[in-house]
Amino acid sequence: MDNSTLQGLGTVFAMAAFIGVVIWAYSSNKKKDFDEAAQLPFADENEHETSDEQHKDARSNKQ
């Protein structure tokens, strides 16, 4: 095998890998997982607000 054949095989492999990732990313089976992952930045805010409310309640009970 010469260098150009190896480069051609590498290109075909890279193209197949790219197409595989695109098919995986846009498959309907992964939509639920991706929607859930998209909400992760907001999940921390809800926990933070809850903990702030608990701290306020604890402070008011001490007074």
Side-chain angles (χ1 to χ4, degrees), residues 4 11 13 15-17 22 29-30 33 37 48 51 54-56 58 60 63:
S4 61
T11 301
F13 176 74
M15 185 185 308
V22 168
N29 295 337
K30 300 301 288 178
D33 294 336
H48 184 66
S51 66
Q54 290 172 351
H55 289 296
K56 287 177 186 176
S60 64
Q63 293 176 357

Side-chain angles (χ1 to χ4, degrees), residues 27-44:
S27 68
S28 60
N29 295 337
K30 300 301 288 178
K31 181 168 176 37
K32 180 183 174 197
D33 294 336
F34 290 144
D35 288 341
E36 186 177 310
Q39 295 301 319
L40 284 176
F42 305 113
D44 188 37

